[in-house]
CSV table of all heavy atoms in Angstrom, one decimal:
chain,number,residue,atom,x,y,z
A,66,ALA,N,-37.3,-16.5,53.5
A,66,ALA,CA,-36.2,-16.4,52.6
A,66,ALA,C,-36.6,-16.3,51.1
A,66,ALA,O,-35.8,-16.0,50.2
A,66,ALA,CB,-35.3,-17.6,52.8
A,67,ASN,N,-37.9,-16.7,50.9
A,67,ASN,CA,-38.4,-16.7,49.5
A,67,ASN,C,-39.0,-15.3,49.1
A,67,ASN,O,-39.5,-15.2,48.0
A,67,ASN,CB,-39.5,-17.8,49.3
A,67,ASN,CG,-38.9,-19.2,49.4
A,67,ASN,OD1,-37.8,-19.4,49.9
A,67,ASN,ND2,-39.6,-20.1,48.8
A,68,ILE,N,-39.0,-14.4,50.0
A,68,ILE,CA,-39.8,-13.1,49.8
A,68,ILE,C,-38.8,-11.9,49.7
A,68,ILE,O,-38.0,-11.7,50.6
A,68,ILE,CB,-40.8,-12.9,51.0
A,68,ILE,CG1,-41.7,-14.1,51.1
A,68,ILE,CG2,-41.6,-11.6,50.8
A,68,ILE,CD1,-42.5,-14.1,52.4
A,69,HIS,N,-39.0,-11.2,48.7
A,69,HIS,CA,-38.1,-10.0,48.5
A,69,HIS,C,-38.9,-8.8,48.0
A,69,HIS,O,-39.9,-9.0,47.3
A,69,HIS,CB,-37.0,-10.3,47.4
A,69,HIS,CG,-36.2,-11.5,47.8
A,69,HIS,ND1,-35.0,-11.4,48.5
A,69,HIS,CD2,-36.4,-12.8,47.5
A,69,HIS,CE1,-34.5,-12.6,48.6
A,69,HIS,NE2,-35.3,-13.5,48.1
A,70,GLY,N,-38.5,-7.6,48.4
A,70,GLY,CA,-39.2,-6.4,48.0
A,70,GLY,C,-38.3,-5.4,47.3
A,70,GLY,O,-37.2,-5.2,47.7
A,71,LEU,N,-38.8,-4.8,46.2
A,71,LEU,CA,-38.0,-3.9,45.4
A,71,LEU,C,-38.8,-2.7,45.1
A,71,LEU,O,-40.0,-2.8,45.0
A,71,LEU,CB,-37.5,-4.6,44.1
A,71,LEU,CG,-36.7,-5.9,44.3
A,71,LEU,CD1,-36.6,-6.7,43.0
A,71,LEU,CD2,-35.3,-5.6,44.9
A,72,THR,N,-38.1,-1.6,44.8
A,72,THR,CA,-38.8,-0.3,44.5
A,72,THR,C,-38.5,0.0,43.0
A,72,THR,O,-37.4,-0.1,42.6
A,72,THR,CB,-38.4,0.8,45.4
A,72,THR,OG1,-38.6,0.4,46.8
A,72,THR,CG2,-39.2,2.1,45.1
A,73,VAL,N,-39.6,0.5,42.3
A,73,VAL,CA,-39.4,0.9,40.9
A,73,VAL,C,-40.3,2.0,40.6
A,73,VAL,O,-41.5,2.0,41.1
A,73,VAL,CB,-39.6,-0.3,39.9
A,73,VAL,CG1,-41.1,-0.8,40.0
A,73,VAL,CG2,-39.3,0.1,38.5
A,74,ASP,N,-39.9,3.0,39.9
A,74,ASP,CA,-40.7,4.2,39.6
A,74,ASP,C,-41.0,4.1,38.1
A,74,ASP,O,-40.1,4.4,37.3
A,74,ASP,CB,-40.0,5.5,39.9
A,74,ASP,CG,-40.8,6.7,39.6
A,74,ASP,OD1,-42.0,6.6,39.2
A,74,ASP,OD2,-40.3,7.8,39.9
A,75,LEU,N,-42.2,3.8,37.7
A,75,LEU,CA,-42.6,3.7,36.3
A,75,LEU,C,-43.3,5.0,35.8
A,75,LEU,O,-43.8,4.9,34.6
A,75,LEU,CB,-43.5,2.5,36.1
A,75,LEU,CG,-43.0,1.2,36.7
A,75,LEU,CD1,-44.1,0.1,36.5
A,75,LEU,CD2,-41.7,0.8,36.0
A,76,SER,N,-43.3,6.0,36.5
A,76,SER,CA,-44.2,7.2,36.2
A,76,SER,C,-43.6,8.2,35.3
A,76,SER,O,-44.3,9.1,34.8
A,76,SER,CB,-44.6,7.9,37.5
A,76,SER,OG,-43.4,8.5,38.1
A,77,LYS,N,-42.3,8.0,34.9
A,77,LYS,CA,-41.6,9.1,34.1
A,77,LYS,C,-41.1,8.5,32.8
A,77,LYS,O,-40.3,7.5,32.9
A,77,LYS,CB,-40.5,9.7,34.9
A,77,LYS,CG,-40.9,10.4,36.2
A,77,LYS,CD,-39.7,11.0,36.9
A,77,LYS,CE,-40.1,11.6,38.3
A,77,LYS,NZ,-40.6,10.6,39.2
A,78,ALA,N,-41.4,9.1,31.7
A,78,ALA,CA,-41.0,8.5,30.4
A,78,ALA,C,-39.5,8.5,30.3
A,78,ALA,O,-38.9,7.6,29.7
A,78,ALA,CB,-41.7,9.3,29.3
A,79,ASP,N,-38.9,9.6,30.7
A,79,ASP,CA,-37.4,9.7,30.5
A,79,ASP,C,-36.6,8.8,31.3
A,79,ASP,O,-35.4,8.5,31.0
A,79,ASP,CB,-37.0,11.1,30.7
A,79,ASP,CG,-37.2,11.7,32.1
A,79,ASP,OD1,-38.0,11.1,32.8
A,79,ASP,OD2,-36.6,12.7,32.4
A,80,THR,N,-37.1,8.2,32.4
A,80,THR,CA,-36.3,7.2,33.2
A,80,THR,C,-36.9,5.8,33.2
A,80,THR,O,-36.4,4.9,33.8
A,80,THR,CB,-36.3,7.7,34.7
A,80,THR,OG1,-37.6,7.8,35.2
A,80,THR,CG2,-35.6,9.1,34.8
A,81,LEU,N,-38.0,5.6,32.4
A,81,LEU,CA,-38.7,4.3,32.4
A,81,LEU,C,-37.8,3.2,32.1
A,81,LEU,O,-37.7,2.2,32.8
A,81,LEU,CB,-39.9,4.4,31.4
A,81,LEU,CG,-40.7,3.1,31.3
A,81,LEU,CD1,-41.3,2.7,32.6
A,81,LEU,CD2,-41.7,3.2,30.2
A,82,GLU,N,-37.0,3.3,31.0
A,82,GLU,CA,-36.2,2.1,30.6
A,82,GLU,C,-35.1,1.8,31.7
A,82,GLU,O,-34.8,0.7,32.0
A,82,GLU,CB,-35.6,2.4,29.2
A,82,GLU,CG,-36.6,2.4,28.1
A,82,GLU,CD,-36.0,2.3,26.8
A,82,GLU,OE1,-35.3,1.3,26.5
A,82,GLU,OE2,-36.2,3.3,26.0
A,83,THR,N,-34.5,2.9,32.2
A,83,THR,CA,-33.5,2.7,33.2
A,83,THR,C,-34.1,2.0,34.5
A,83,THR,O,-33.4,1.1,35.0
A,83,THR,CB,-32.9,4.0,33.6
A,83,THR,OG1,-32.3,4.7,32.5
A,83,THR,CG2,-31.8,3.9,34.7
A,84,GLU,N,-35.3,2.4,34.8
A,84,GLU,CA,-35.9,1.8,36.0
A,84,GLU,C,-36.2,0.4,35.8
A,84,GLU,O,-36.1,-0.5,36.7
A,84,GLU,CB,-37.2,2.6,36.3
A,84,GLU,CG,-37.0,4.0,36.9
A,84,GLU,CD,-36.5,3.9,38.4
A,84,GLU,OE1,-37.1,3.1,39.1
A,84,GLU,OE2,-35.7,4.7,38.8
A,85,LEU,N,-36.7,0.1,34.6
A,85,LEU,CA,-37.1,-1.3,34.3
A,85,LEU,C,-35.9,-2.2,34.3
A,85,LEU,O,-35.9,-3.3,34.9
A,85,LEU,CB,-37.8,-1.4,32.9
A,85,LEU,CG,-39.2,-0.8,32.9
A,85,LEU,CD1,-39.7,-0.7,31.4
A,85,LEU,CD2,-40.2,-1.6,33.7
A,86,LYS,N,-34.8,-1.7,33.7
A,86,LYS,CA,-33.6,-2.5,33.6
A,86,LYS,C,-33.0,-2.7,35.0
A,86,LYS,O,-32.5,-3.8,35.4
A,86,LYS,CB,-32.5,-1.8,32.8
A,86,LYS,CG,-31.2,-2.6,32.5
A,86,LYS,CD,-31.4,-3.7,31.5
A,86,LYS,CE,-30.1,-4.2,30.9
A,86,LYS,NZ,-29.1,-4.6,31.9
A,87,SER,N,-33.0,-1.7,35.9
A,87,SER,CA,-32.5,-1.8,37.2
A,87,SER,C,-33.4,-2.8,38.0
A,87,SER,O,-32.8,-3.6,38.9
A,87,SER,CB,-32.5,-0.4,37.9
A,87,SER,OG,-31.6,0.5,37.3
A,88,LEU,N,-34.7,-2.8,37.8
A,88,LEU,CA,-35.6,-3.7,38.5
A,88,LEU,C,-35.2,-5.1,38.2
A,88,LEU,O,-35.2,-6.0,39.0
A,88,LEU,CB,-37.0,-3.4,38.2
A,88,LEU,CG,-38.0,-4.4,38.7
A,88,LEU,CD1,-38.0,-4.4,40.3
A,88,LEU,CD2,-39.4,-4.1,38.2
A,89,LEU,N,-35.1,-5.4,36.9
A,89,LEU,CA,-34.8,-6.8,36.5
A,89,LEU,C,-33.4,-7.2,37.0
A,89,LEU,O,-33.2,-8.4,37.4
A,89,LEU,CB,-34.8,-6.8,34.9
A,89,LEU,CG,-36.2,-6.7,34.3
A,89,LEU,CD1,-36.1,-6.5,32.8
A,89,LEU,CD2,-37.1,-7.9,34.7
A,90,ASP,N,-32.4,-6.3,37.0
A,90,ASP,CA,-31.1,-6.6,37.5
A,90,ASP,C,-31.2,-7.0,39.0
A,90,ASP,O,-30.7,-8.0,39.5
A,90,ASP,CB,-30.1,-5.5,37.4
A,90,ASP,CG,-29.6,-5.3,36.0
A,90,ASP,OD1,-29.5,-6.4,35.3
A,90,ASP,OD2,-29.2,-4.2,35.6
A,91,ALA,N,-32.0,-6.2,39.8
A,91,ALA,CA,-32.1,-6.4,41.2
A,91,ALA,C,-32.9,-7.7,41.4
A,91,ALA,O,-32.6,-8.5,42.4
A,91,ALA,CB,-32.9,-5.3,41.8
A,92,THR,N,-33.9,-8.0,40.6
A,92,THR,CA,-34.7,-9.3,40.8
A,92,THR,C,-33.8,-10.5,40.5
A,92,THR,O,-33.8,-11.5,41.3
A,92,THR,CB,-35.9,-9.3,39.8
A,92,THR,OG1,-36.7,-8.1,40.1
A,92,THR,CG2,-36.7,-10.5,40.0
A,93,ALA,N,-33.0,-10.4,39.4
A,93,ALA,CA,-32.1,-11.5,39.1
A,93,ALA,C,-31.1,-11.8,40.2
A,93,ALA,O,-30.8,-13.0,40.5
A,93,ALA,CB,-31.4,-11.2,37.8
A,94,SER,N,-30.7,-10.7,40.8
A,94,SER,CA,-29.7,-10.9,42.0
A,94,SER,C,-30.4,-11.5,43.2
A,94,SER,O,-29.8,-12.3,43.9
A,94,SER,CB,-29.1,-9.6,42.3
A,94,SER,OG,-28.2,-9.1,41.2
A,95,ALA,N,-31.6,-11.1,43.4
A,95,ALA,CA,-32.3,-11.5,44.6
A,95,ALA,C,-32.9,-12.9,44.6
A,95,ALA,O,-32.8,-13.7,45.5
A,95,ALA,CB,-33.5,-10.5,44.9
A,96,ILE,N,-33.5,-13.3,43.4
A,96,ILE,CA,-34.1,-14.6,43.3
A,96,ILE,C,-33.6,-15.4,42.2
A,96,ILE,O,-34.1,-16.6,42.1
A,96,ILE,CB,-35.7,-14.4,43.2
A,96,ILE,CG1,-36.0,-13.8,41.9
A,96,ILE,CG2,-36.2,-13.7,44.4
A,96,ILE,CD1,-37.5,-13.7,41.7
A,97,GLY,N,-32.7,-14.9,41.4
A,97,GLY,CA,-32.2,-15.7,40.2
A,97,GLY,C,-31.3,-16.8,40.5
A,97,GLY,O,-31.0,-17.6,39.6
A,98,GLY,N,-30.8,-16.9,41.7
A,98,GLY,CA,-29.9,-18.0,42.0
A,98,GLY,C,-28.6,-17.9,41.2
A,98,GLY,O,-28.2,-16.8,40.8
A,99,SER,N,-27.9,-19.0,41.0
A,99,SER,CA,-26.6,-19.0,40.3
A,99,SER,C,-26.8,-18.6,38.9
A,99,SER,O,-25.8,-18.1,38.2
A,99,SER,CB,-26.0,-20.4,40.4
A,99,SER,OG,-26.8,-21.4,39.8
A,100,THR,N,-28.0,-18.8,38.3
A,100,THR,CA,-28.1,-18.5,36.9
A,100,THR,C,-28.5,-17.1,36.6
A,100,THR,O,-28.4,-16.6,35.5
A,100,THR,CB,-29.3,-19.4,36.2
A,100,THR,OG1,-30.5,-19.1,36.9
A,100,THR,CG2,-29.0,-20.9,36.4
A,101,LYS,N,-29.0,-16.4,37.7
A,101,LYS,CA,-29.4,-15.0,37.6
A,101,LYS,C,-30.5,-14.8,36.5
A,101,LYS,O,-30.7,-13.8,35.8
A,101,LYS,CB,-28.3,-14.0,37.2
A,101,LYS,CG,-27.1,-14.0,38.1
A,101,LYS,CD,-27.5,-13.5,39.5
A,101,LYS,CE,-26.3,-13.5,40.4
A,101,LYS,NZ,-26.6,-13.1,41.8
A,102,ARG,N,-31.4,-15.9,36.5
A,102,ARG,CA,-32.5,-15.9,35.6
A,102,ARG,C,-33.8,-15.9,36.3
A,102,ARG,O,-33.9,-16.3,37.5
A,102,ARG,CB,-32.4,-17.1,34.6
A,102,ARG,CG,-31.2,-17.2,33.8
A,102,ARG,CD,-31.0,-16.1,32.8
A,102,ARG,NE,-31.7,-16.4,31.6
A,102,ARG,CZ,-31.6,-15.7,30.5
A,102,ARG,NH1,-30.9,-14.6,30.5
A,102,ARG,NH2,-32.2,-16.0,29.4
A,103,ILE,N,-34.9,-15.5,35.6
A,103,ILE,CA,-36.2,-15.4,36.2
A,103,ILE,C,-37.1,-16.3,35.4
A,103,ILE,O,-36.9,-16.5,34.2
A,103,ILE,CB,-36.8,-14.0,36.2
A,103,ILE,CG1,-35.8,-13.0,36.8
A,103,ILE,CG2,-38.1,-13.9,36.9
A,103,ILE,CD1,-36.1,-11.5,36.5
Side-chain angles (χ1 to χ4, degrees):
N67 290 20
I68 303 166
H69 303 269
L71 303 165
T72 304
V73 63
D74 182 1
L75 307 177
S76 67
K77 301 178 183 66
D79 58 343
T80 59
L81 177 60
E82 292 192 61
T83 302
E84 288 284 322
L85 290 171
K86 185 75 163 55
S87 296
L88 173 64
L89 290 168
D90 281 333
T92 301
S94 294
I96 64 174
S99 59
T100 64
K101 301 296 183 185
R102 306 290 277 183
I103 307 167

